[in-house]
Amino acid sequence: MVTLPFVLENSWYPIEGDLAGGFSFVLHNMSGAEISNFRLIYTSLTRVTDEAVCQNATLLRRNANFHEFGPPEGFKLAPGDSWAFKVDGLHRSAKHRTDGAKSAYVTLSDGTHKPCAIGDLMLEGRHSEPAPKLLPDGKVSEPFFLQPWPKKTSLGKGDSYPVALFLKSATSDEKSSVQKVQTLYQRLFAADHVPFALSPVHEGRELVLRKTNTLANEEYKLTFSETEVALTYTMESGLQYGLTTLAQLLHGARQDPETFSFPSSGTIDDTPRYGWRGCHLDVSRQFYPTADVTRLIDILAWYKMNIFHWHLTDDEAWRLEIKAYPELTTIGATRGPDEILLPQLGNGAEIVSGFYSQDEVKAVVAHAAHLGLEVVPEVDIPGHCTAVLAIFGNLSDGQEAPDSYHSVQGFPNNALNPAIEATYAFLATVFDEMASLFPSRYVHIGGDEVADGSWLASPKAKKLMEQEGLEGTFGLQSYFMKRVQQMLLERGKCLAGWDEVSHGGGVSPEGTLLMAWQNPDVGIDLARKGYDVVMTPGQAYYLDMVQDDAWQEPGASWAGTVPPEHSYHYEAEGDFPEDLRPRLKGIQACIWSENFLSHDYFNRLVFPRLCAVAEAGWSPKDAKDWLRFAAIAPYAPKL
């Protein structure tokens, strides 16, 4: 591997009287050549404010996570030497090693960009606490490998496990279901022995499939004996879940026969706790190749989850091909030093790009449907639209000041203006193409984090407010959302969104599904207003949150610290009044990708908490067992 020409080291230090503290930077010149008139660029979720005070540097430009600094006039950096500078005036305190610079590069005087190596944020003046062990030593009271745990079990431990579970007789559809779970298993555990056979095998055990009309769609029953296993089901989904349970039991017995066993007697009666058992993936902040997306869907199927919420657009990139607007996925999916969209969230000197073609989308949707998962697409509007507005100038009010408001992530004027008719024509075309790609009943339209004060400097928005009797940003947002809801209904779709969709008067609750993310109490308030609700609070189900308070533990922290045990024990029903519980449709994990610069980071933060959310969505409260979970979760397949 080639040594990069520059190295940037960064530290956070406390400042008395300023809780946000400051950053120290040291740039080392490893290039072998003297440089002058250069600029240093880094990206960081901990942003520098307008009130920043720099020592030995000048802040030249900032755009959200993008920061550009210059050295003092006339400064020259010789080979092997370093340039140190400090910045006081951060928008928040750094709390973990991932709160500093995520990427960096140096722009030389001739305009070329040179990559810069970078490490974790160091801590000055305080103890840098190492990351702890996050799971206790597991212990199983029943020796069976099942996750999520079924609704009801009464199983007898077997002394051995079969080579495979085989069919003597089955319908063509049943054989297809067995093979579907078989190939899912082979994709997840490519080096392990298959659990099923379509014909008898030596030292196997017969699998008898019995279709009935007495069980719910996702319900199944298993009966075990020394000679056979009987699986009773009504719908294909129940058959799939029962087969997945059998694959898990056999997998665990093979992986650790001293801890886990395959049952020789007894029964499993199983059905999910909630109808919506979802997982969200943000592919805007970081792009995931199609193979990674389908791999995640496979993992969700293994844990009997049934919703994949695909967050396809945000400020940082638009990832969904819209044939009528090719610019969205050429310009709008590309970030780089000389591109319209600047580097963000770990991008450096290299141009990064990526989007999903409509053929790829169809393949992902088909793959998910084959495994019983519904793909719910999200285009995040009206906020989080920097990528759109950077391309289409006609969607902005030219008389609105360019920095009249900023989003919580620091993007200026990033929301589609409800007073511009061209906005609705643009969205109509987008929704037309989405409707042909996604069979889902829902289209998720975001609706989150529109900055209070948005559009108030827009003459066109002021005129609309006067005409329609609207009040403030959220009155405008409600007007926008109601029009979007009608557009979706005309295309046979229902509106899903984040909880802020209810602001300013909201939209019609009929057919609408809102996700409570800001805190658990929001879900109850939404249900009282008549909305169907999915609980996905950041304090329990956001899988990008840090898992411990230790400085060296990676992740975000705005929602607090979310250890696996908290994700596992959190009860979405919480204080929901009994009469409102029918409004609670289920739960969802959210994978926001600001911190996920590699598969290793992804796997460290997502697992085992994704397994915890899966069990919370399926298993009754009285079936949970934390130590049993801790014994099984480390075996989870990873991305």
Side-chain angles (χ1 to χ4, degrees), residues 24 45 70-71 104 119 135 159 201 204 231 237 268 293 369 418 485 499 527 581:
S24 292
L45 285 163
L135 282 177
D159 294 328
V201 295
L231 194 170
S237 56
I268 292 176
V293 176
Q485 183 177 47
D499 55 58
R581 288 193 179 181

Side-chain angles (χ1 to χ4, degrees), residues 35-337:
I35 62 172
S36 61
N37 298 318
F38 62 90
R39 291 165 285 152
L40 170 68
I41 293 88
Y42 71 84
T43 68
S44 173
L45 285 163
T46 306
R47 300 188 303 277
V48 171
T49 68
D50 292 335
E51 291 75 36
V53 176
C54 302
Q55 300 177 32
N56 203 35
T58 301
L59 176 61
L60 302 174
R61 187 168 44 148
R62 188 199 65 229
N63 180 274
N65 303 281
F66 174 96
H67 300 76
E68 183 176 24
F69 287 88
E73 187 175 353
F75 180 82
K76 296 181 180 181
L77 186 58
D81 284 355
S82 58
W83 165 47
F85 67 96
K86 291 188 174 185
V87 182
D88 299 349
L90 308 179
H91 85 287
R92 63 173 174 85
S93 172
K95 296 182 178 179
H96 297 272
R97 64 182 175 91
T98 45
D99 286 338
K102 290 192 171 302
S103 62
Y105 62 93
V106 172
T107 299
L108 301 178
S109 57
D110 63 0
T112 58
H113 311 291
K114 299 297 182 181
C116 191
I118 194 166
D120 289 328
L121 184 67
M122 299 298 178
L123 180 60
E124 296 179 13
R126 296 179 187 174
H127 173 54
S128 179
E129 187 175 358
K133 180 181 177 182
L134 295 170
L135 282 177
D137 293 331
K139 181 180 180 181
V140 295
S141 56
E142 298 179 67
F144 304 108
F145 188 99
L146 292 167
Q147 206 166 69
W149 196 259
K151 181 179 181 180
K152 185 178 179 181
T153 60
S154 177
L155 298 173
K157 177 181 179 182
D159 294 328
S160 62
Y161 55 83
V163 168
L165 302 172
F166 64 84
L167 299 175
K168 275 189 177 178
S169 64
T171 68
S172 176
D173 287 344
E174 287 174 334
K175 288 182 178 180
S176 294
S177 292
V178 170
Q179 194 58 22
K180 173 172 61 178
V181 176
Q182 179 96 307
T183 54
L184 169 66
Y185 183 88
Q186 289 176 298
R187 290 193 300 271
L188 292 176
F189 307 103
D192 293 334
H193 193 290
V194 295
F196 302 112
L198 299 181
S199 55
V201 295
H202 180 63
E203 295 185 329
R205 192 174 303 180
E206 183 179 0
L207 173 59
V208 178
L209 303 179
R210 296 171 179 161
K211 188 170 184 178
T212 180
N213 60 3
T214 61
L215 301 180
N217 287 359
E218 297 181 301
E219 186 177 4
Y220 66 92
K221 293 186 178 183
L222 289 167
T223 304
F224 297 86
S225 73
E226 294 279 2
T227 57
E228 71 173 32
V229 177
L231 194 170
T232 304
Y233 70 98
T234 294
M235 301 298 289
E236 199 279 335
S237 56
L239 175 58
Q240 177 183 322
Y241 293 144
L243 292 168
T244 303
T245 292
L246 292 173
Q248 289 185 357
L249 284 166
L250 198 47
H251 179 68
R254 290 169 174 163
Q255 293 295 309
D256 185 357
E258 293 185 2
T259 303
F260 301 110
S261 156
F262 192 84
S264 61
S265 63
T267 59
I268 292 176
D269 294 274
D270 202 13
T271 191
R273 183 178 185 182
Y274 295 115
W276 186 289
R277 305 179 304 280
C279 180
H280 150 290
L281 179 66
D282 160 26
V283 298
S284 176
R285 275 58 178 266
Q286 311 293 347
F287 180 71
Y288 296 78
T290 302
D292 285 356
V293 176
T294 54
R295 170 78 178 182
L296 178 60
I297 289 171
D298 282 348
I299 293 169
L300 300 182
W302 180 247
Y303 288 110
K304 305 187 176 92
M305 302 178 86
N306 64 349
I307 301 291
F308 175 58
H309 174 174
W310 205 357
H311 185 90
L312 290 158
T313 76
D314 217 296
D315 288 304
E316 292 85 355
W318 181 289
R319 304 294 190 188
L320 172 65
E321 181 188 21
I322 302 296
K323 292 185 182 294
Y325 302 117
E327 307 96 322
L328 285 172
T329 46
T330 52
I331 300 170
T334 302
R335 301 198 293 258

Side-chain angles (χ1 to χ4, degrees), residues 506-520:
V507 299
S508 170
E510 185 176 354
T512 299
L513 181 74
L514 298 186
M515 297 181 175
W517 69 273
Q518 296 189 72
N519 62 66

Side-chain angles (χ1 to χ4, degrees), residues 515-564:
M515 297 181 175
W517 69 273
Q518 296 189 72
N519 62 66
D521 292 339
V522 168
I524 298 173
D525 293 339
L526 293 173
R528 285 200 181 103
K529 294 175 181 176
Y531 294 107
D532 287 342
V533 180
V534 169
M535 293 295 287
T536 178
Q539 296 80 4
Y541 291 163
Y542 270 35
L543 306 187
D544 58 318
M545 292 296 116
V546 291
Q547 301 177 84
D548 189 83
D549 292 335
W551 176 266
Q552 294 179 33
E553 182 67 24
S557 58
W558 64 262
T561 301
V562 185

